[in-house]
Coordinates of all heavy atoms in Angstrom, one line a residue:
D67 N 33.5 -117.3 3.9 CA 33.2 -118.2 2.8 C 33.2 -117.4 1.4 O 33.5 -116.2 1.4 CB 31.9 -118.9 3.0 CG 30.7 -118.0 3.2 OD1 30.7 -117.0 2.6 OD2 29.8 -118.4 4.0
D68 N 32.8 -118.2 0.4 CA 32.9 -117.6 -1.0 C 31.9 -116.4 -1.1 O 32.1 -115.6 -2.0 CB 32.4 -118.7 -2.0 CG 33.6 -119.7 -2.2 OD1 34.7 -119.3 -2.3 OD2 33.3 -120.9 -2.3
D69 N 30.9 -116.4 -0.3 CA 29.9 -115.3 -0.5 C 30.3 -114.0 0.2 O 29.7 -113.0 -0.1 CB 28.5 -115.8 0.2 CG 27.9 -117.0 -0.6 OD1 28.2 -117.1 -1.8 OD2 27.2 -117.8 0.1
N70 N 31.3 -114.0 1.0 CA 31.8 -112.8 1.7 C 32.6 -111.9 0.7 O 33.4 -112.4 -0.1 CB 32.6 -113.1 2.9 CG 31.8 -113.7 4.0 OD1 32.2 -114.8 4.6 ND2 30.7 -113.1 4.3
N71 N 32.4 -110.6 0.9 CA 33.2 -109.7 0.1 C 34.3 -109.1 1.1 O 34.0 -108.9 2.3 CB 32.4 -108.5 -0.4 CG 31.4 -109.0 -1.5 OD1 31.8 -109.5 -2.5 ND2 30.1 -108.8 -1.2
L72 N 35.5 -108.8 0.6 CA 36.5 -108.3 1.4 C 36.9 -106.9 1.0 O 37.0 -106.6 -0.2 CB 37.8 -109.3 1.2 CG 37.5 -110.7 1.6 CD1 38.8 -111.5 1.3 CD2 37.1 -110.9 3.0
D73 N 37.2 -106.1 2.0 CA 37.5 -104.7 1.8 C 39.0 -104.5 2.3 O 39.3 -104.7 3.5 CB 36.6 -103.8 2.6 CG 36.8 -102.3 2.3 OD1 37.6 -102.0 1.4 OD2 36.2 -101.5 3.0
F74 N 39.9 -104.2 1.4 CA 41.3 -104.0 1.7 C 41.5 -102.6 2.2 O 41.6 -101.7 1.4 CB 42.2 -104.4 0.5 CG 42.2 -105.8 0.2 CD1 41.2 -106.5 -0.4 CD2 43.3 -106.6 0.6 CE1 41.2 -107.8 -0.6 CE2 43.4 -108.0 0.3 CZ 42.3 -108.6 -0.3
I75 N 41.6 -102.4 3.5 CA 41.6 -101.1 4.1 C 43.0 -100.4 3.9 O 43.0 -99.2 3.5 CB 41.3 -101.1 5.6 CG1 40.0 -101.8 5.8 CG2 41.3 -99.7 6.2 CD1 38.8 -101.2 5.2
T76 N 44.1 -101.1 4.1 CA 45.4 -100.5 3.9 C 46.0 -100.9 2.6 O 45.8 -102.0 2.1 CB 46.3 -101.0 5.1 OG1 46.3 -102.4 5.2 CG2 45.8 -100.4 6.4
T77 N 46.9 -100.1 2.1 CA 47.6 -100.3 0.8 C 48.5 -101.5 1.0 O 49.2 -101.7 2.0 CB 48.4 -99.1 0.4 OG1 47.6 -97.9 0.4 CG2 49.1 -99.3 -0.9
N78 N 48.5 -102.4 0.0 CA 49.4 -103.6 0.0 C 49.0 -104.6 1.0 O 49.8 -105.5 1.4 CB 50.8 -103.2 0.1 CG 51.3 -102.3 -1.1 OD1 50.9 -102.5 -2.2 ND2 52.2 -101.4 -0.8
A79 N 47.8 -104.5 1.6 CA 47.4 -105.5 2.6 C 47.2 -106.9 1.8 O 46.9 -106.9 0.7 CB 46.0 -105.1 3.2
R80 N 47.5 -107.9 2.5 CA 47.3 -109.3 2.0 C 47.2 -110.3 3.1 O 47.5 -110.0 4.3 CB 48.5 -109.7 1.1 CG 49.8 -109.9 1.8 CD 50.9 -110.4 0.8 NE 52.2 -110.6 1.5 CZ 53.1 -111.4 1.0 NH1 52.9 -112.1 -0.1 NH2 54.3 -111.6 1.6
A81 N 46.6 -111.4 2.8 CA 46.4 -112.5 3.8 C 46.6 -113.8 3.2 O 46.3 -114.1 2.0 CB 44.9 -112.4 4.3
A82 N 47.2 -114.7 4.0 CA 47.3 -116.1 3.7 C 46.1 -116.8 4.3 O 45.9 -116.7 5.5 CB 48.6 -116.7 4.2
V83 N 45.4 -117.6 3.5 CA 44.2 -118.3 4.0 C 44.3 -119.7 3.5 O 45.0 -120.0 2.5 CB 42.9 -117.6 3.5 CG1 42.8 -116.2 4.0 CG2 42.8 -117.7 2.0
I84 N 43.5 -120.6 4.1 CA 43.6 -122.0 3.7 C 42.1 -122.6 3.7 O 41.3 -122.2 4.6 CB 44.5 -122.8 4.6 CG1 44.8 -124.2 4.0 CG2 44.0 -122.9 6.1 CD1 45.9 -124.9 4.7
H85 N 41.9 -123.5 2.8 CA 40.6 -124.1 2.7 C 40.8 -125.6 2.8 O 41.8 -126.1 2.2 CB 39.9 -123.8 1.4 CG 38.5 -124.3 1.3 ND1 38.2 -125.6 1.0 CD2 37.3 -123.6 1.4 CE1 36.8 -125.7 1.0 NE2 36.3 -124.5 1.2
P86 N 40.0 -126.4 3.6 CA 40.3 -127.8 3.8 C 40.4 -128.6 2.6 O 41.1 -129.7 2.5 CB 39.2 -128.2 4.8 CG 38.1 -127.2 4.6 CD 38.9 -125.9 4.4
S87 N 39.6 -128.2 1.5 CA 39.6 -129.0 0.3 C 40.2 -128.3 -0.9 O 40.7 -129.0 -1.8 CB 38.2 -129.5 0.0 OG 37.4 -128.4 -0.3
K88 N 40.2 -127.0 -0.9 CA 40.7 -126.2 -2.1 C 42.1 -125.8 -2.0 O 42.8 -125.4 -2.9 CB 39.8 -125.0 -2.3 CG 38.4 -125.3 -2.6 CD 37.5 -124.1 -2.7 CE 36.1 -124.4 -2.9 NZ 35.2 -123.2 -3.0
G89 N 42.7 -125.9 -0.7 CA 44.1 -125.5 -0.6 C 44.3 -124.2 0.0 O 43.5 -123.6 0.6
R90 N 45.6 -123.6 -0.2 CA 46.0 -122.4 0.4 C 46.1 -121.3 -0.7 O 46.4 -121.5 -1.8 CB 47.4 -122.6 1.0 CG 47.9 -121.4 1.8 CD 49.1 -121.8 2.6 NE 50.1 -122.5 1.8 CZ 51.0 -121.9 1.1 NH1 51.0 -120.6 1.0 NH2 51.9 -122.6 0.4
F91 N 45.7 -120.1 -0.3 CA 45.7 -118.9 -1.2 C 46.3 -117.7 -0.5 O 46.4 -117.6 0.7 CB 44.2 -118.5 -1.5 CG 43.4 -119.6 -2.1 CD1 42.7 -120.5 -1.3 CD2 43.4 -119.8 -3.5 CE1 42.0 -121.6 -1.9 CE2 42.6 -120.8 -4.1 CZ 41.9 -121.7 -3.3
I92 N 46.8 -116.8 -1.4 CA 47.3 -115.5 -0.9 C 46.3 -114.5 -1.5 O 46.1 -114.3 -2.7 CB 48.7 -115.2 -1.5 CG1 49.7 -116.3 -1.1 CG2 49.1 -113.8 -0.9 CD1 49.9 -116.4 0.4
L93 N 45.6 -113.8 -0.6 CA 44.6 -112.8 -1.0 C 45.2 -111.4 -1.0 O 45.9 -111.0 -0.1 CB 43.4 -112.7 0.0 CG 42.6 -114.0 0.2 CD1 41.5 -113.8 1.2 CD2 42.0 -114.3 -1.2
M94 N 45.0 -110.8 -2.2 CA 45.6 -109.4 -2.4 C 44.4 -108.5 -2.9 O 43.4 -109.1 -3.3 CB 46.7 -109.5 -3.4 CG 47.9 -110.3 -2.8 SD 49.2 -110.4 -4.1 CE 48.5 -111.6 -5.3
P95 N 44.6 -107.2 -3.0 CA 43.5 -106.3 -3.5 C 43.0 -106.7 -4.8 O 41.8 -106.6 -5.1 CB 44.2 -105.0 -3.5 CG 45.2 -105.0 -2.4 CD 45.8 -106.5 -2.5
N96 N 43.8 -107.2 -5.7 CA 43.4 -107.6 -7.1 C 42.6 -108.9 -7.1 O 42.2 -109.3 -8.2 CB 44.5 -107.6 -8.1 CG 45.5 -108.6 -7.8 OD1 45.6 -109.1 -6.6 ND2 46.3 -109.0 -8.8
N97 N 42.5 -109.6 -6.0 CA 41.8 -110.9 -6.0 C 40.9 -111.0 -4.8 O 40.7 -112.1 -4.2 CB 42.7 -112.1 -6.1 CG 43.6 -112.3 -4.8 OD1 43.5 -111.5 -3.9 ND2 44.5 -113.2 -4.9
S98 N 40.2 -109.9 -4.4 CA 39.4 -109.9 -3.3 C 38.2 -110.8 -3.4 O 37.5 -111.2 -2.5 CB 38.9 -108.4 -2.9 OG 38.3 -107.9 -4.1
N99 N 37.8 -111.1 -4.7 CA 36.8 -112.1 -4.9 C 37.5 -113.5 -4.8 O 38.3 -113.8 -5.7 CB 36.2 -111.9 -6.3 CG 35.1 -112.9 -6.6 OD1 35.0 -114.0 -6.0 ND2 34.2 -112.5 -7.5
I100 N 37.2 -114.2 -3.8 CA 37.9 -115.5 -3.5 C 37.8 -116.5 -4.7 O 38.7 -117.3 -4.9 CB 37.3 -116.1 -2.3 CG1 38.2 -117.3 -1.8 CG2 35.9 -116.5 -2.4 CD1 39.6 -117.0 -1.4
A101 N 36.7 -116.3 -5.5 CA 36.6 -117.2 -6.6 C 37.7 -117.1 -7.6 O 38.0 -118.1 -8.4 CB 35.2 -117.0 -7.3
Y102 N 38.4 -116.0 -7.7 CA 39.4 -115.8 -8.6 C 40.8 -115.8 -8.0 O 41.8 -115.5 -8.6 CB 39.3 -114.4 -9.3 CG 38.0 -114.3 -10.1 CD1 36.9 -113.7 -9.6 CD2 37.9 -114.9 -11.4 CE1 35.7 -113.6 -10.3 CE2 36.7 -114.9 -12.1 CZ 35.6 -114.2 -11.6 OH 34.4 -114.2 -12.3
A103 N 40.8 -116.1 -6.7 CA 42.1 -116.1 -5.9 C 43.1 -117.1 -6.4 O 44.3 -116.8 -6.4 CB 41.8 -116.3 -4.4
R104 N 42.7 -118.2 -6.8 CA 43.6 -119.2 -7.2 C 44.5 -118.8 -8.4 O 45.7 -119.0 -8.4 CB 42.9 -120.5 -7.6 CG 43.9 -121.7 -8.0 CD 43.1 -123.0 -8.3 NE 42.4 -123.5 -7.2 CZ 42.9 -124.3 -6.3 NH1 44.2 -124.6 -6.3 NH2 42.2 -124.7 -5.3
A105 N 43.9 -118.0 -9.3 CA 44.7 -117.5 -10.5 C 45.7 -116.5 -10.1 O 46.7 -116.2 -10.8 CB 43.7 -116.9 -11.5
N106 N 45.5 -115.8 -8.9 CA 46.4 -114.8 -8.4 C 47.2 -115.3 -7.2 O 47.8 -114.4 -6.5 CB 45.6 -113.6 -8.0 CG 44.9 -112.9 -9.2 OD1 45.6 -112.3 -10.0 ND2 43.6 -113.1 -9.3
L107 N 47.3 -116.6 -7.0 CA 48.1 -117.1 -5.9 C 49.6 -116.7 -6.1 O 50.1 -116.9 -7.2 CB 48.0 -118.6 -5.9 CG 48.8 -119.3 -4.9 CD1 48.4 -119.0 -3.5 CD2 48.7 -120.8 -5.0
T108 N 50.2 -116.1 -5.1 CA 51.6 -115.7 -5.2 C 52.4 -117.0 -5.5 O 52.4 -117.9 -4.7 CB 52.0 -115.1 -3.9 OG1 51.2 -114.0 -3.6 CG2 53.5 -114.7 -4.0
P109 N 53.2 -117.0 -6.5 CA 54.0 -118.2 -6.9 C 55.1 -118.4 -5.9 O 55.6 -117.5 -5.3 CB 54.6 -117.9 -8.3 CG 54.6 -116.4 -8.3 CD 53.4 -115.9 -7.5
S110 N 55.4 -119.7 -5.7 CA 56.5 -120.0 -4.8 C 57.8 -119.5 -5.4 O 58.0 -119.4 -6.6 CB 56.6 -121.6 -4.6 OG 55.5 -122.1 -4.0
M111 N 58.8 -119.2 -4.5 CA 60.1 -118.8 -4.9 C 60.9 -120.0 -5.5 O 60.4 -121.2 -5.4 CB 60.9 -118.2 -3.8 CG 60.3 -116.9 -3.3 SD 61.4 -116.2 -2.1 CE 60.5 -114.6 -1.8
S112 N 62.0 -119.7 -6.1 CA 62.8 -120.8 -6.7 C 63.1 -121.9 -5.7 O 63.4 -121.6 -4.5 CB 64.2 -120.2 -7.2 OG 65.0 -121.2 -7.5
N113 N 63.0 -123.1 -6.1 CA 63.2 -124.2 -5.2 C 64.6 -124.5 -4.8 O 65.0 -125.4 -4.2 CB 62.6 -125.5 -5.8 CG 63.3 -125.9 -7.1 OD1 64.3 -125.4 -7.5 ND2 62.7 -126.9 -7.8
I114 N 65.5 -123.5 -5.2 CA 66.9 -123.6 -4.7 C 66.9 -123.5 -3.2 O 67.8 -124.0 -2.5 CB 67.8 -122.5 -5.3 CG1 69.3 -122.7 -4.9 CG2 67.4 -121.1 -4.7 CD1 70.2 -121.8 -5.6
S115 N 65.8 -122.9 -2.6 CA 65.8 -122.7 -1.1 C 65.5 -124.1 -0.5 O 65.7 -124.2 0.7 CB 64.7 -121.7 -0.8 OG 63.4 -122.2 -1.2

Side-chain angles (χ1 to χ4, degrees):
D67 58 35
D68 286 319
D69 296 329
N70 290 131
N71 294 299
L72 303 176
D73 187 6
F74 290 74
I75 305 299
T76 55
T77 306
N78 298 325
R80 64 175 183 161
V83 302
I84 193 165
H85 189 283
S87 62
K88 298 178 183 178
R90 185 167 52 81
F91 303 88
I92 304 297
L93 296 180
M94 298 176 288
N96 66 336
N97 66 3
S98 55
N99 183 337
I100 189 67
Y102 298 100
R104 185 178 294 276
N106 292 287
L107 177 65
T108 302
S110 298
M111 292 187 179
S112 170
N113 61 9
I114 188 172
S115 61

